[in-house]
Amino acid sequence: MSPEQNSILKVSKLVKRFGGFHALDGLSFHVVPGEILGLVGPNGSGKTTAINVISGLYAPDGGEVVFDGASSGGVASHKLVHRGINRTFQVPKPFLSLTVRENIQVALAYGGATGTPPSIAELLEEYRLKEVADRPAADLNSAQQKMLDLTRALATRPRLLLLDELAAGLNPAELDWIAGRIKALAATGMAIIVVEHLMGFIEQITDRVIVLNAGKEIFEGTLATAVREPQVIEVFLGGEHAH
Amino acid sequence: MHNASKHLLFILAPLVVVFALLPGVYQNHLLLFNFVIFLILAQGVNIIYGFTGYLPFGYVGFFGAGAYGFAIMVMHLQTPAPLAVLVGGLVAVALGLLLTPLLRLSGAYFAIANLAASLAVLHFVANPALEGITKGPYGVSLTGTFNPTHAYYAAVIVMALTVGAVIYLKNSPFGLALQAVREDAVSASMAGVNIVKMRVIAWLASALVAGLAGGIYAWYVSVFYPDNVFSGEFSIFAIVFALFGGVATITGPIVGVLILYGIYNLIGFTTPQYFQLIYGLLIMGLVLFLPAGLVSLATRRGWHVP
Ligand SMILES: Nc1ncnc2c1ncn2[C@@H]1O[C@H](COP(=O)(O)OP(=O)(O)O)[C@@H](O)[C@H]1O
Ligand SMILES: [Mg+2]
């Protein structure tokens, strides 16, 4: 495992409250460039909230987020995008009345991608959107909308990519294919955080997992060790079964 | 040819030529002037509603502010009319800036708050205590600048600029980003778009064109009361015309104004007794059967409408 000093993202004692409820309750973890980190935990444990705070949708109520050496908690999303953070959404959020191509064009024009921006033709090809490129995003099925979310994120050339249940709802062939794509992205040095319920998928692609329960990490290490940890088993079996 | 050049050549140029030449062959100049004013206002609604999704029910507030900006400059500073028109536009932009907090609201809440704001501006201007500045409820008379011919051509110029602005929005990453914000603000910010800035720019641009139109209107009519230039009919008509044609397009609001304002005047002249009825039914039919406007007749068939 790479040393913590090399981390591109470091989250310390992060707190996010909704009313009196602590959705994140002192969450700490880090991720290094090129690493695929799994974020797992039962429903409602705060995975999406963590992604929302890291991507600037919510300001933290406590603790610290440091991206690339600079504090990033509470910074507006579009600025974080320009710094190199991007994400997909658990429920994809494309610009429905715009065409697939236009969806990506917005991110290419405004994403502030550093270096050469990715080519739109390649993105469409690689994420299987070429045939629907000139159709409105509203015409896409849910798997395609997820891929569009992903290509919009990639068009901004992120160095940290947050994937919120990207694989949910994909068929086994698509799962294998997207697993390969995610690994290829990490191989370019991109740090990737993957939230997923499918343990097989998590096992296939992650280097390390953080197990979240009630807004706190209760385990950090490989998935193989996690499943032997009594506390982890308790959280999953006591709450909801892992698939 | 580049799309934007096509739009300039085949939409903007003919529109400007027709309205520049019509006064020579058609006697009812006031009617022509009103057409041009509604073309400006409908495109102004298009900029803010079509591209960002904010429905400006109090759009007339900017128009009235522009008219009074013009009047105050002319009455108190004897400013030449064209310069006073520009000031009218800037007054509307200032009002727009003042109202930017409204952009935090959405949907019906924004529409209602905007309506309330336009009424507040009306009552502010019409306040007898401000008689020394605005002439309060007693209205203004600007005989010194009266020149309908010049005012008409100024309106055609502003119409050209406004349609030009919409052509830009339709063909630029900027316009695309505005539409992205309208579709999903959160996703737009994840595409790197500064959503607050984009909304404010569109809002102020739509305020500017309405303010310029208001200033030119004041120039043209030269005598008016607060109730005239803050009449809710301007907002309603501009919105209905834009929606009827179809927003977020260049041609939709133009078609909407030409057809609906055309019919409006036709029934007004021929069968005034049925006027409200026919017009009301027409608008209801539109809302029920063509919620995305006339252009959707074509887009449904997969035809692209500029
Ligand atoms: N915007 C919000 N307002 C109120 N409560 C929220 C909000 N977002 C998330 N929560 C709550 O925070 C907890 C964690 O949610 P979430 O992060 O979505 O969980 P996960 O993604 O792990 O399933 C849940 O109890 C959820 O109801
Ligand atoms: Mg979630």
Side-chain angles (χ1 to χ4, degrees):
Chain A
M1 199 189 305
S2 319
E4 209 170 309
Q5 299 88 278
N6 296 341
S7 59
I8 185 162
L9 177 80
K10 198 162 184 302
V11 169
S12 326
K13 304 197 174 66
L14 200 59
V15 175
K16 178 65 205 167
R17 286 187 297 266
F18 295 111
F21 174 75
H22 286 62
L24 295 180
D25 198 8
L27 174 65
S28 304
F29 68 87
H30 73 278
V31 56
V32 300
E35 182 186 27
I36 304 179
L37 175 72
L39 204 55
V40 299
N43 271 332
S45 55
K47 305 181 296 293
T48 297
T49 304
I51 288 185
N52 286 344
V53 172
I54 296 166
S55 63
L57 235 57
Y58 302 144
D61 296 312
E64 233 196 348
V65 188
V66 174
F67 175 71
D68 211 10
S71 170
S72 64
V75 174
S77 290
H78 68 276
K79 290 188 186 152
L80 294 179
V81 168
H82 297 158
R83 283 202 209 166
I85 300 181
N86 219 312
R87 64 172 294 173
T88 64
F89 294 91
Q90 188 170 340
V91 178
K93 289 159 74 69
F95 310 122
L96 290 173
S97 78
L98 305 189
T99 66
V100 168
R101 190 186 301 281
E102 289 171 333
N103 267 263
I104 302 172
Q105 274 168 349
V106 176
L108 280 174
Y110 283 83
T114 43
T116 31
S119 119
I120 197 161
E122 268 170 41
L123 283 173
L124 288 168
E125 176 86 47
E126 280 174 26
Y127 293 91
R128 301 181 172 172
L129 294 169
K130 204 171 141 195
E131 273 69 48
V132 289
D134 294 306
R135 298 251 293 278
D139 288 358
L140 304 188
N141 64 36
S142 109
Q144 289 171 320
Q145 289 198 355
K146 287 190 165 198
M147 290 310 121
L148 180 52
D149 246 26
L150 178 57
T151 48
R152 185 183 60 218
L154 292 176
T156 69
R157 275 271 146 98
R159 285 175 297 139
L160 171 66
L161 180 62
L162 314 163
L163 303 175
D164 197 353
E165 304 202 18
L166 184 70
L170 301 187
N171 67 36
E174 289 169 332
L175 279 178
D176 268 349
W177 165 72
I178 197 67
R181 297 247 47 106
I182 294 172
K183 281 180 166 171
L185 288 171
T188 68
M190 196 182 288
I192 303 179
I193 297 178
V194 179
V195 167
E196 207 57 67
H197 284 297
L198 308 168
M199 286 307 147
F201 186 77
I202 286 285
E203 177 158 39
Q204 189 182 349
I205 65 169
T206 62
D207 302 310
R208 190 162 62 97
V209 298
I210 302 286
V211 181
L212 226 67
N213 185 40
K216 262 203 265 300
E217 75 284 358
I218 57 165
F219 174 86
E220 190 243 290
T222 63
L223 187 65
T225 2
V227 296
R228 291 197 297 270
E229 192 77 16
Q231 210 189 346
V232 174
I233 297 167
E234 149 121 36
V235 160
F236 275 95
L237 299 184
E240 190 189 322
H241 290 263
H243 306 281
Chain B
M1 202 192 311
H2 197 267
N3 262 341
S5 329
K6 270 194 228 161
H7 296 156
L8 289 171
L9 195 62
F10 296 116
I11 302 171
L12 180 59
L15 192 68
V16 170
V17 168
V18 165
F19 276 95
L21 295 182
L22 268 176
V25 292
Y26 184 70
Q27 292 316 306
N28 193 341
H29 290 182
L30 176 62
L31 182 63
L32 292 179
F33 177 74
N34 285 337
F35 262 104
V36 178
I37 289 292
F38 277 119
L39 282 167
I40 298 171
L41 294 180
Q43 292 291 16
V45 166
N46 191 21
I47 292 173
I48 186 66
Y49 179 66
F51 286 86
T52 73
Y54 287 101
L55 189 59
F57 248 54
Y59 195 48
V60 72
F62 297 132
F63 184 80
Y68 268 92
F70 177 91
I72 289 168
M73 291 307 283
V74 169
M75 284 189 298
H76 300 295
L77 300 169
Q78 287 77 43
T79 313
L83 189 60
V85 167
L86 289 181
V87 173
L90 293 181
V91 169
V93 169
L95 176 62
L97 272 175
L98 202 67
L99 296 182
T100 44
L102 295 191
L103 297 175
R104 288 189 205 139
L105 305 172
S106 59
Y109 297 100
F110 173 83
I112 292 166
N114 183 215
L115 177 63
S118 72
L119 294 175
V121 178
L122 160 63
H123 290 297
F124 177 78
V125 168
N127 190 330
L130 288 182
E131 193 189 338
I133 302 168
T134 64
K135 297 261 191 289
Y138 315 110
V140 297
S141 172
L142 310 167
T143 43
T145 51
F146 183 68
N147 189 334
T149 310
H150 287 179
Y152 177 81
Y153 286 106
V156 173
I157 291 171
V158 170
M159 175 191 74
L161 293 176
T162 309
V163 174
V166 174
I167 290 175
Y168 168 72
L169 290 183
K170 208 49 197 167
N171 291 288
S172 62
F174 182 82
L176 208 52
L178 274 181
Q179 296 182 73
V181 175
R182 176 196 69 204
E183 294 291 296
D184 194 312
V186 168
S187 290
S189 65
M190 291 319 297
V193 177
N194 182 343
I195 54 179
V196 175
K197 184 170 130 195
M198 298 298 279
R199 285 171 167 162
V200 169
I201 292 176
W203 176 236
L204 296 184
S206 76
L208 175 66
V209 300
L212 293 172
I216 292 171
Y217 186 85
W219 185 6
Y220 191 99
V221 299
S222 82
V223 176
F224 59 88
Y225 297 90
D227 285 340
N228 301 136
V229 293
F230 284 100
S231 160
E233 272 193 12
F234 283 108
S235 310
I236 303 291
F237 275 29
I239 289 170
V240 168
F241 295 160
L243 290 180
F244 179 82
V247 290
T249 65
I250 304 161
T251 49
I254 299 174
V255 170
V257 170
L258 295 183
I259 293 183
L260 272 195
Y261 196 57
I263 295 178
Y264 176 88
N265 286 291
L266 215 61
I267 357 178
F269 292 141
T270 53
T271 46
Q273 65 275 32
Y274 299 124
F275 174 75
Q276 305 278 0
L277 177 69
I278 299 178
Y279 210 62
L281 287 176
L282 209 84
I283 290 170
M284 275 177 57
L286 156 77
V287 174
L288 284 174
F289 300 111
L290 276 182
L294 272 188
V295 295
S296 64
L297 287 177
T299 44
R300 269 186 216 161
R301 286 170 177 72
W303 301 340
H304 175 74
V305 180

